[in-house]
Amino acid sequence: KCGTSWLNNLLRKCHAISLPPNKKEIHFWDWHYQRGYEWYIKQFDLFRRCPQQSCSNSDPSSSKPFYGEITPCYVVLPLEKIVEISRIFPKLKLVFIARDLVDRAWSALIMELRNQTSGLTAGSFADGSGIQTCHNARDPKKPKKSVMSVAQKRRMQELSSPSSQPDSYYMERLRNATHDSRSNYAKHLRNWYEHFPPETILIVDYRDIESDPRGTLSKIVQHIGLHEEEARKYVESLDDRVLGQRVNAATSDQLRIEDSTASIKSSQPSSSDYFLSQRPNLKRRMQKYLQHHAIEFNALLEEKGYLWRLDEYDGNGREMT
């Protein structure tokens, strides 16, 4: 929803940076904390080495890359978890990508609707009436993927389409504590600023990913620790197709569930932004509801010396004048 899948894919192409090899989001500090530090450590490839010229750790002779993970939900961690993280990783570098509040909320609401329609929850597979669950040939007890008929897919697409719900549904969900909390950028970032120096936190304007992906990526990897020249070489090694590839942006009206024999393409526009643009009353209601969060976040940006601003839905632009 805010470009983290884009960032995840690109950072995996950098030899000086090591992310967990098996998944993007580890969710240790919120979902799996009870599993303990040993479990957390095992999620990383600690035996990985990178070419000497590609590593910029504090120890010049070190061949270890920079280790990290991308779990967007961490921004809303409770204060006690942030304190613990700061104690264990005092030199941690943090990156927060800020998207327009209405766009981010709409994307989250559409993703939620899609997941509810498919019956999916975190870490589970679709396995309901009329849906066949395939199994791994080596382990019959282990689900592999769900297979649905073309008719079932079409029905799920219809139910997960943004046009399937009235405005009242989206406003009710937007007021839900989870969605409201994740729209309150300033509140949660201030918790992190309370325990990490300002120079360790980089706030990225989501629009820069679209307008200047190379420059934005270079800024991020330099913040992580790469030297300017190393960052330049890495970014230049990426072709435009890779840099422009957007993954899991949650803007599709389609439920992209495919099997090996069939897939369905919706005849409707592919971007859910289209649906919001066709519902101006809903968009205005969302803007009014989220406006105070935008104002508070822009105050934080000004306080921290950033020269750009999110839309406050009052006609003001992107940058300070």
mmCIF file of all heavy atoms in Angstrom, residues 95-99 202-209 216 219-220 297 306 308:
data_model
loop_
_atom_site.group_PDB
_atom_site.id
_atom_site.type_symbol
_atom_site.label_atom_id
_atom_site.label_comp_id
_atom_site.label_asym_id
_atom_site.label_seq_id
_atom_site.Cartn_x
_atom_site.Cartn_y
_atom_site.Cartn_z
ATOM 1 N N VAL A 95 13.106 3.370 8.192
ATOM 2 C CA VAL A 95 12.573 4.021 6.997
ATOM 3 C C VAL A 95 11.056 3.969 7.058
ATOM 4 O O VAL A 95 10.465 2.897 7.248
ATOM 5 C CB VAL A 95 13.055 3.326 5.709
ATOM 6 C CG1 VAL A 95 12.435 3.989 4.480
ATOM 7 C CG2 VAL A 95 14.586 3.361 5.615
ATOM 8 N N PHE A 96 10.429 5.115 6.908
ATOM 9 C CA PHE A 96 8.961 5.202 6.894
ATOM 10 C C PHE A 96 8.530 5.853 5.594
ATOM 11 O O PHE A 96 8.964 6.964 5.271
ATOM 12 C CB PHE A 96 8.452 6.021 8.076
ATOM 13 C CG PHE A 96 6.954 6.179 8.118
ATOM 14 C CD1 PHE A 96 6.153 5.161 8.610
ATOM 15 C CD2 PHE A 96 6.344 7.339 7.657
ATOM 16 C CE1 PHE A 96 4.771 5.296 8.649
ATOM 17 C CE2 PHE A 96 4.964 7.484 7.695
ATOM 18 C CZ PHE A 96 4.170 6.456 8.186
ATOM 19 N N ILE A 97 7.691 5.169 4.815
ATOM 20 C CA ILE A 97 7.187 5.712 3.556
ATOM 21 C C ILE A 97 5.783 6.242 3.802
ATOM 22 O O ILE A 97 4.890 5.500 4.215
ATOM 23 C CB ILE A 97 7.171 4.640 2.452
ATOM 24 C CG1 ILE A 97 8.584 4.063 2.257
ATOM 25 C CG2 ILE A 97 6.659 5.242 1.144
ATOM 26 C CD1 ILE A 97 8.634 2.918 1.258
ATOM 27 N N ALA A 98 5.595 7.536 3.553
ATOM 28 C CA ALA A 98 4.320 8.196 3.826
ATOM 29 C C ALA A 98 3.553 8.416 2.529
ATOM 30 O O ALA A 98 4.015 9.127 1.634
ATOM 31 C CB ALA A 98 4.551 9.530 4.530
ATOM 32 N N ARG A 99 2.386 7.816 2.455
ATOM 33 C CA ARG A 99 1.509 7.983 1.303
ATOM 34 C C ARG A 99 0.338 8.890 1.672
ATOM 35 O O ARG A 99 -0.013 9.014 2.856
ATOM 36 C CB ARG A 99 0.980 6.608 0.859
ATOM 37 C CG ARG A 99 0.180 6.627 -0.426
ATOM 38 C CD ARG A 99 -0.262 5.220 -0.796
ATOM 39 N NE ARG A 99 -1.009 5.211 -2.054
ATOM 40 C CZ ARG A 99 -1.562 4.130 -2.584
ATOM 41 N NH1 ARG A 99 -1.459 2.960 -1.962
ATOM 42 N NH2 ARG A 99 -2.223 4.210 -3.728
ATOM 43 N N LEU A 202 14.325 7.960 8.523
ATOM 44 C CA LEU A 202 14.128 8.601 7.220
ATOM 45 C C LEU A 202 12.652 8.491 6.844
ATOM 46 O O LEU A 202 12.109 7.387 6.757
ATOM 47 C CB LEU A 202 14.980 7.930 6.146
ATOM 48 C CG LEU A 202 14.785 8.436 4.715
ATOM 49 C CD1 LEU A 202 15.255 9.884 4.586
ATOM 50 C CD2 LEU A 202 15.516 7.538 3.716
ATOM 51 N N ILE A 203 12.010 9.622 6.620
ATOM 52 C CA ILE A 203 10.626 9.652 6.166
ATOM 53 C C ILE A 203 10.639 9.930 4.665
ATOM 54 O O ILE A 203 11.186 10.943 4.217
ATOM 55 C CB ILE A 203 9.804 10.716 6.901
ATOM 56 C CG1 ILE A 203 9.886 10.495 8.420
ATOM 57 C CG2 ILE A 203 8.357 10.678 6.440
ATOM 58 C CD1 ILE A 203 9.148 11.552 9.229
ATOM 59 N N VAL A 204 10.064 9.029 3.896
ATOM 60 C CA VAL A 204 10.086 9.112 2.435
ATOM 61 C C VAL A 204 8.705 9.484 1.922
ATOM 62 O O VAL A 204 7.696 8.925 2.363
ATOM 63 C CB VAL A 204 10.530 7.764 1.825
ATOM 64 C CG1 VAL A 204 10.467 7.808 0.298
ATOM 65 C CG2 VAL A 204 11.932 7.408 2.299
ATOM 66 N N ASP A 205 8.664 10.412 0.988
ATOM 67 C CA ASP A 205 7.419 10.786 0.330
ATOM 68 C C ASP A 205 7.091 9.727 -0.722
ATOM 69 O O ASP A 205 7.850 9.508 -1.661
ATOM 70 C CB ASP A 205 7.582 12.161 -0.329
ATOM 71 C CG ASP A 205 6.287 12.692 -0.928
ATOM 72 O OD1 ASP A 205 5.307 11.926 -1.035
ATOM 73 O OD2 ASP A 205 6.263 13.887 -1.301
ATOM 74 N N TYR A 206 5.970 9.074 -0.574
ATOM 75 C CA TYR A 206 5.565 8.013 -1.508
ATOM 76 C C TYR A 206 5.561 8.494 -2.957
ATOM 77 O O TYR A 206 5.891 7.737 -3.876
ATOM 78 C CB TYR A 206 4.178 7.529 -1.109
ATOM 79 C CG TYR A 206 3.572 6.485 -2.019
ATOM 80 C CD1 TYR A 206 3.850 5.129 -1.852
ATOM 81 C CD2 TYR A 206 2.684 6.843 -3.031
ATOM 82 C CE1 TYR A 206 3.281 4.164 -2.664
ATOM 83 C CE2 TYR A 206 2.108 5.888 -3.847
ATOM 84 C CZ TYR A 206 2.411 4.553 -3.667
ATOM 85 O OH TYR A 206 1.841 3.607 -4.479
ATOM 86 N N ARG A 207 5.220 9.748 -3.180
ATOM 87 C CA ARG A 207 5.173 10.276 -4.535
ATOM 88 C C ARG A 207 6.537 10.278 -5.197
ATOM 89 O O ARG A 207 6.649 10.228 -6.417
ATOM 90 C CB ARG A 207 4.577 11.688 -4.516
ATOM 91 C CG ARG A 207 3.124 11.727 -4.099
ATOM 92 C CD ARG A 207 2.664 13.117 -3.736
ATOM 93 N NE ARG A 207 3.323 13.616 -2.533
ATOM 94 C CZ ARG A 207 2.950 14.710 -1.878
ATOM 95 N NH1 ARG A 207 1.901 15.409 -2.304
ATOM 96 N NH2 ARG A 207 3.588 15.109 -0.789
ATOM 97 N N ASP A 208 7.606 10.327 -4.389
ATOM 98 C CA ASP A 208 8.958 10.297 -4.954
ATOM 99 C C ASP A 208 9.283 8.937 -5.555
ATOM 100 O O ASP A 208 10.131 8.836 -6.448
ATOM 101 C CB ASP A 208 9.983 10.651 -3.881
ATOM 102 C CG ASP A 208 9.946 12.121 -3.508
ATOM 103 O OD1 ASP A 208 9.404 12.916 -4.302
ATOM 104 O OD2 ASP A 208 10.452 12.480 -2.423
ATOM 105 N N ILE A 209 8.647 7.882 -5.048
ATOM 106 C CA ILE A 209 8.849 6.558 -5.634
ATOM 107 C C ILE A 209 8.338 6.547 -7.067
ATOM 108 O O ILE A 209 8.927 5.915 -7.953
ATOM 109 C CB ILE A 209 8.135 5.477 -4.800
ATOM 110 C CG1 ILE A 209 8.774 5.379 -3.416
ATOM 111 C CG2 ILE A 209 8.168 4.122 -5.502
ATOM 112 C CD1 ILE A 209 8.077 4.389 -2.492
ATOM 113 N N THR A 216 15.135 8.089 -5.103
ATOM 114 C CA THR A 216 14.545 7.680 -3.829
ATOM 115 C C THR A 216 15.225 6.439 -3.280
ATOM 116 O O THR A 216 15.543 6.367 -2.081
ATOM 117 C CB THR A 216 13.042 7.420 -4.017
ATOM 118 O OG1 THR A 216 12.424 8.589 -4.546
ATOM 119 C CG2 THR A 216 12.396 7.048 -2.692
ATOM 120 N N LYS A 219 18.647 7.324 -1.931
ATOM 121 C CA LYS A 219 18.535 7.981 -0.626
ATOM 122 C C LYS A 219 18.316 6.961 0.486
ATOM 123 O O LYS A 219 18.903 7.050 1.564
ATOM 124 C CB LYS A 219 17.385 8.986 -0.658
ATOM 125 C CG LYS A 219 17.192 9.747 0.639
ATOM 126 C CD LYS A 219 15.894 10.536 0.623
ATOM 127 C CE LYS A 219 15.839 11.537 -0.500
ATOM 128 N NZ LYS A 219 14.592 12.351 -0.455
ATOM 129 N N ILE A 220 17.484 5.965 0.205
ATOM 130 C CA ILE A 220 17.168 4.957 1.223
ATOM 131 C C ILE A 220 18.382 4.097 1.547
ATOM 132 O O ILE A 220 18.692 3.865 2.728
ATOM 133 C CB ILE A 220 15.986 4.077 0.748
ATOM 134 C CG1 ILE A 220 14.692 4.895 0.733
ATOM 135 C CG2 ILE A 220 15.825 2.853 1.652
ATOM 136 C CD1 ILE A 220 13.508 4.180 0.120
ATOM 137 N N PHE A 297 0.594 15.302 10.888
ATOM 138 C CA PHE A 297 1.795 14.736 10.273
ATOM 139 C C PHE A 297 2.624 15.821 9.605
ATOM 140 O O PHE A 297 3.858 15.822 9.703
ATOM 141 C CB PHE A 297 1.404 13.670 9.244
ATOM 142 C CG PHE A 297 2.582 13.075 8.525
ATOM 143 C CD1 PHE A 297 3.532 12.321 9.199
ATOM 144 C CD2 PHE A 297 2.753 13.272 7.168
ATOM 145 C CE1 PHE A 297 4.622 11.769 8.547
ATOM 146 C CE2 PHE A 297 3.840 12.723 6.496
ATOM 147 C CZ PHE A 297 4.772 11.979 7.184
ATOM 148 N N TYR A 306 11.744 18.594 7.095
ATOM 149 C CA TYR A 306 11.383 18.157 5.744
ATOM 150 C C TYR A 306 10.677 19.293 5.009
ATOM 151 O O TYR A 306 9.915 20.057 5.604
ATOM 152 C CB TYR A 306 10.478 16.931 5.806
ATOM 153 C CG TYR A 306 11.192 15.668 6.234
ATOM 154 C CD1 TYR A 306 11.306 15.332 7.584
ATOM 155 C CD2 TYR A 306 11.771 14.810 5.301
ATOM 156 C CE1 TYR A 306 11.966 14.174 7.991
ATOM 157 C CE2 TYR A 306 12.431 13.653 5.690
ATOM 158 C CZ TYR A 306 12.525 13.346 7.037
ATOM 159 O OH TYR A 306 13.186 12.207 7.434
ATOM 160 N N TRP A 308 8.662 18.883 2.256
ATOM 161 C CA TRP A 308 7.463 18.460 1.537
ATOM 162 C C TRP A 308 6.337 18.230 2.535
ATOM 163 O O TRP A 308 6.573 18.099 3.731
ATOM 164 C CB TRP A 308 7.721 17.186 0.720
ATOM 165 C CG TRP A 308 8.243 16.017 1.523
ATOM 166 C CD1 TRP A 308 9.546 15.750 1.831
ATOM 167 C CD2 TRP A 308 7.457 14.984 2.132
ATOM 168 N NE1 TRP A 308 9.632 14.599 2.598
ATOM 169 C CE2 TRP A 308 8.368 14.095 2.789
ATOM 170 C CE3 TRP A 308 6.101 14.690 2.177
ATOM 171 C CZ2 TRP A 308 7.942 12.959 3.480
ATOM 172 C CZ3 TRP A 308 5.662 13.554 2.868
ATOM 173 C CH2 TRP A 308 6.603 12.712 3.508
#
